[in-house]
Amino acid sequence: MPNMSLKKNEMPSQAPDVRNKNFLEVTLGYTPEQAVDEAKRCLHCKNKPCVGGCPVKIYIPDFIAKVAEGDFEEAYKIISKSSALPAVCGRVCPQETQCESKCVRGIKGEPVAIGRLERFVADWHNAHSTEKAEKPECNGHKIAVIGSGPSGLTCAGDLAKKGYDVTVFEALHTAGGVLVYGIPEFRLPKSIVQKEIEGLKELGVHFETNVVIGKTISIDELQEKYGFEAVFIGSGAGLPMFMNIPGENYKGVYSANEFLTRINLMKAYEEGSDTPIEHPKVAAVVGGGNVAMDAARCAKRLGAEVYIIYRRGMEELPARREEVEHAMEEGIIFKLLTNPVEILGDENGNVRAVKCVEMELGEPDASGRRKPIVKPDSEFVIDVDCVIMSLGTSPNPLIKSTTSGLETTPKGCIVADEKGLTSRENVYAGGDAVTGAATVILAMGAGKTAAAAIDEKIQGK
Amino acid sequence: MYKIINKRELNPTVTLMEIEAPLVAAKAEPGQFIILRTDEKGERIPLTVADFDREKGTVTIIFQIVGATTEKLNHLNVGDSLHDFVGPLGKPTHTEGLKKVAVVGGGVGCAIAYPVAKKLHEQGCEVHAVVGFRTKDLVILEDEFKAASSKFVLMSDDGSCGEKGLVTDALKKLIESGEQYDEVITIGPLIMMKFVSKLTKQYGIKTIASMNPIMIDGTGMCGGCRLTVGGKTKFACVDGPEFDAHEIDFDEAMARGAMYKQFERKAHEEACNLFKAEVK
C-alpha cells in the first residue's frame, strides 16, 4: 500500500536564527526511515511523467522503488546510470519545475520529494560505500575538457567510463567551477564536490588546474601540439554584468561573482584565510535570481542586515521558491518593485547609500514577464555600506577571442548544434558557455550529450 | 607545484624570484602578468612578468614586500615551491612600429618597466629610460636599464643618487629639450603615473600606463579590478593591464586600490610576528 499522505516528509534543517550565523549546510537530509516512508508515496505510474521532466532522464520510479525496499546502494546504482553528480543535483536542481512538477501526486497535494530522495541516496552511498570505482581499460583516445564545472565534469566522467584518456583543464586553482566558487558551502558543501572529483580521478580523469585555455594553451595547440582528438568547451558564463549607473565603482560595490568567490573559493570568512573581505553592516543585493539569494545569505552570515532589491514583484523572482523562503526565514529584507538608479559614496570613495526608485508592472514584454516601469517622483535612499550586483553573467570572451573559426552569438555564447558540435571540427561545447547562465542540471545534460557525440564520432572513424 | 630556482634580494624590500613554470614561460610577453598563491590557504595575488626564459621554462617575478602574502613569499627559498602559478594573463605591451619611446618607471614598477624597455630596445627602438626611487638603497635594475636604453636618467626623492627630483621633472626636461617620442610608457605608483599622464597630455604625447589593481581570478570573472577608462568600465585583467593613460580615472583607481589597506597592514604585522621579522 502506498503512503497516501498529501505532504512530503519535511527535511530536517538548522533553525533560521542559528544557521544565518554559520556556513554549515542548512538542510540536514532525510534519515533512512524518513526516506523509506517518502519513497512509499510514489505510485509508480506506467507512463513515468517525472522521467520526462528530468534533463538527464534518471530512472526515477526505479530508484525510488529501491529506496522503499531499503536497498539504498542499488538505488544509487540506478541514479548513477544517468547522473554523474547525484549528491550535487539532489541539492541544487530546481526539482519543483522539473521532475517533481510532473509528479501525479502533485495534482492533489505535494509531489513525491524526488530531489530529497536523490540527495539521501547519494549521501548514503558516499557515507557507506567502500567500493572503489573501477578504472576502465584505456582506449588510447585523448580528449580535452575545458572547465571543471557541471558540464565538464559530466562530459569527462561519461567519456572516462568508456575508456577515453580525459584531461580536464581548469583556470582556477581548485576544480569544480561554479560548484566551488559560486554556490555557497551552506547550500552545497565543498566536501561533496571534492568527493565527486575524487571519483572521476579514480576513473582515470586527469585534472590540470591553473591552466587558462586561450592564454596558457590555445585550442589549436590542444589539438595540434598535444594530440587531443576532441575538445569539449564547458567554460561556463563567468563574466559579471553591472548596471552602468553612477557610483558603481565605489569601494564596497561588488559583483556577486567577486563577493561569492572571496567567500566560497577563497574562504575569506575563515580564520587563517589570507583573502580579505569586508564585513558589511548593511548590504544591498541587486537582483532576484539564485545567485542573488546566495550572495544575500552570505552577507547575512557575515553579520550584515541585508536587503534584496529587485525591480519586479514576488511572483516574478527568478530564484527557486525554496531559496527565497530560506532567505526570508533567515531575515533577508525584500525590497521588491524597486530599482537602484545611483550609488552614493562618501569623501573617501566608500559606499554610503543606494538611491532607488519605485517600480510598477506594466504590460508583458518580449520575455513574457510584465515590464517594470518607474513610478514618477518615487526616489528614495537606503543607507548601506555594501552593494552586491547580481544581475546575471555572460560567457567569458577569452576562448572566443583566441580560437579562430569558433562561431558565437552576438551575446558571446558559443554556437553548438543539438549534439554540442561547434563550428570547429572536433570541438564541442555545452553548458552556460552555450546557453548563457542556466542551471547545473542543464549543463550536465549538455556535457552528457556531447560525450555521447564525441564517442560516436571517434568510434565511427 | 612551481619550484623556485633562483632568488635575489634587489633591495631590502624588493626581491626577485625565478620560478619554474614551463607553460607560462612558453607564452609570456612583456606587459602580461601571472597570479600566484604561496600555499593552500593563501590569497591569489597578481604580479607582472619581469622576465622569462622559454628554453629553461622559467618566469621571473619581482615583488615588493607590502602585505602578508609578499612577506610569506619572501620567506620561501630556492628549492621551495609555490602552490599555484597561473598565466600569462592580460594583454602584452603593444610595441610594434614604435621608433622612439620614453619608459618611465617608479620604485618597484621599474621591475615591470624593464622587460618592456628591453623588448623595445631589442627590436631597434630608441629607448630613453627615466627611473625614480625614494632613495639610493632602493634602486633596482640600474645596470639592466642602462643596457636596454640609449639614454638613462636616474632620479631620487632625496638626491642620494642620480638627480634630486621626480621622474616628471626629468621627463619634462627631455621633452623641453626637443626629444620627440612616439609614446611614453609609464609603470609605477598610481600617483606617479597620474602626474606623468598629466604632463604628457600637455604635450600631446600618447601615453600608456600599466595598472595593477586588486583582483582575484585574473580571467574576467570577478570584476574586482575594474577601472574607468574613457568613461567606460574596463577590467584590467582582460582588457588591460595597460591602458591609454590620458583616459584613466586615476583618482578612482587610487581609492579602489586602498580598499583593503587596513586589512593588509594588520595581516602583514601578523605575518611578521609569525616570522619574527621586523615590520619594514
Side-chain angles (χ1 to χ4, degrees), chain A residues 171-174 181 208-212 215-218 221 225-226 238-240 242 244 248-255 257-259 261-262 265-266 270-278 348-349 396-398, chain B residues 2 23-24 26-27 32 37-39 41-44 68-69 72 83-92 214-217 219-228 233 235 238 252 255-260 263:
Chain A
L172 292 171
H173 55 262
T174 307
Y181 77 71
E208 294 288 342
T209 52
N210 293 328
V211 178
V212 184
K215 284 286 176 191
T216 318
I217 302 175
S218 67
E221 287 174 306
K225 187 171 165 195
Y226 294 93
L239 209 67
F242 288 92
N244 298 315
E248 232 170 356
N249 291 348
Y250 281 131
K251 287 179 282 179
V253 183
Y254 297 88
S255 71
N257 263 2
E258 179 182 358
F259 190 72
T261 301
R262 284 182 186 275
L265 177 72
M266 306 310 297
E270 276 182 3
E271 265 305 301
S273 168
D274 289 343
T275 302
I277 187 140
E278 293 289 341
N348 297 318
N396 196 312
L398 266 187
Chain B
Y2 306 83
L23 289 178
V24 185
K27 288 286 177 69
Q32 290 188 295
R37 285 203 312 161
T38 52
D39 58 273
K41 295 216 162 169
E43 65 178 331
R44 296 170 66 95
T69 300
K72 272 194 203 173
H83 202 277
D84 300 288
F85 194 88
V86 58
L89 301 166
K91 293 180 179 163
I214 291 165
M215 58 175 79
I216 308 178
D217 61 291
T219 63
M221 205 184 82
C222 77
C225 66
R226 63 194 188 275
L227 307 157
T228 304
T233 295
F235 289 1
V238 287
E252 179 187 271
R256 287 186 65 79
M259 176 140 185
Y260 295 106
F263 187 99

Side-chain angles (χ1 to χ4, degrees), chain A residues 12 23 32 36 42 80 107 131 162 205 227-228 272 277 282 289 321 325-326 368 377 387 413 418 436:
Chain A
F23 278 87
V36 170
C42 176
S80 34
I107 298 169
E131 268 179 56
K162 292 195 165 95
V205 176
F228 288 101
I277 187 140
V282 188
R321 186 57 32 195
E325 280 165 14
H326 278 155
D377 305 320
V387 177
C413 299
E418 72 284 359

Side-chain angles (χ1 to χ4, degrees), chain A residues 37 61 134 138 144 153 166 193 234 288 306 310-311 341 344 379 433 450:
Chain A
D37 189 56
E134 213 167 292
C138 182
L153 293 180
V166 184
V193 182
V306 185
Y310 179 59
R311 62 193 182 135
V341 288
L344 308 173
E379 262 186 23

Side-chain angles (χ1 to χ4, degrees), chain A residues 175-221:
Chain A
V178 72
L179 305 175
V180 296
Y181 77 71
I183 304 176
E185 178 77 19
F186 57 81
R187 213 149 71 73
L188 177 64
K190 301 311 147 214
S191 58
I192 287 170
V193 182
Q194 201 45 48
K195 189 120 188 173
E196 304 283 8
I197 288 164
E198 290 307 319
L200 291 179
K201 285 184 182 165
E202 282 168 21
L203 285 173
V205 176
H206 312 283
F207 283 87
E208 294 288 342
T209 52
N210 293 328
V211 178
V212 184
I213 299 298
K215 284 286 176 191
T216 318
I217 302 175
S218 67
I219 288 188
D220 291 345
E221 287 174 306

Side-chain angles (χ1 to χ4, degrees), chain B residues 3 6 81 92 120 125 142 159 168 185 226 251 255 272:
Chain B
K3 208 163 152 189
N6 189 10
S81 288
L120 287 165
C125 172
E142 186 173 351
T168 39
I185 299 177
R226 63 194 188 275
D251 294 335
C272 287

Side-chain angles (χ1 to χ4, degrees), chain B residues 175-197:
Chain B
I175 298 169
E176 294 275 315
S177 74
E179 300 286 0
Q180 293 199 341
Y181 300 113
D182 298 339
E183 206 172 285
V184 171
I185 299 177
T186 181
I187 307 171
L190 288 168
I191 187 79
M192 180 201 95
M193 295 196 285
K194 176 182 166 176
F195 282 99
V196 168
S197 171

